[in-house]
Amino acid sequence: MSRETIKDLVDMIPDKDIDTIYKVLTRFIPEDTPLPDELKAIREAKADTSPTIPHNAINWD
């Protein structure tokens, strides 16, 4: 199957389904390899066990 065939198929998708197809197609795009500082930030975020505030404890007014 050629890219042109895929493009033609995408053009046939109803507008109401475009968002769903977009989400599916983006799953096939490889992600960039994280940089060392990004890996460090990810590790720090995963290790963070600081307390959180429950949603209903916030005064939203």
Side-chain angles (χ1 to χ4, degrees):
M1 183 178 301
S2 69
R3 288 178 182 260
E4 195 60 39
T5 303
I6 294 172
K7 289 177 185 176
D8 291 339
L9 290 172
V10 169
D11 287 339
M12 293 172 36
I13 297 169
D15 287 343
K16 65 183 178 88
D17 296 325
I18 292 293
D19 189 50
T20 303
I21 297 302
Y22 172 79
K23 290 176 183 175
V24 170
L25 290 175
T26 56
R27 301 273 184 196
F28 291 96
I29 300 172
E31 295 181 9
D32 294 336
T33 305
L35 300 173
D37 63 326
E38 293 172 322
L39 291 171
K40 180 182 175 194
I42 292 169
R43 280 192 301 274
E44 289 174 1
K46 287 182 178 179
D48 184 8
T49 57
S50 57
T52 58
I53 299 171
H55 185 269
N56 59 357
I58 297 173
N59 181 1
W60 294 97
D61 294 329

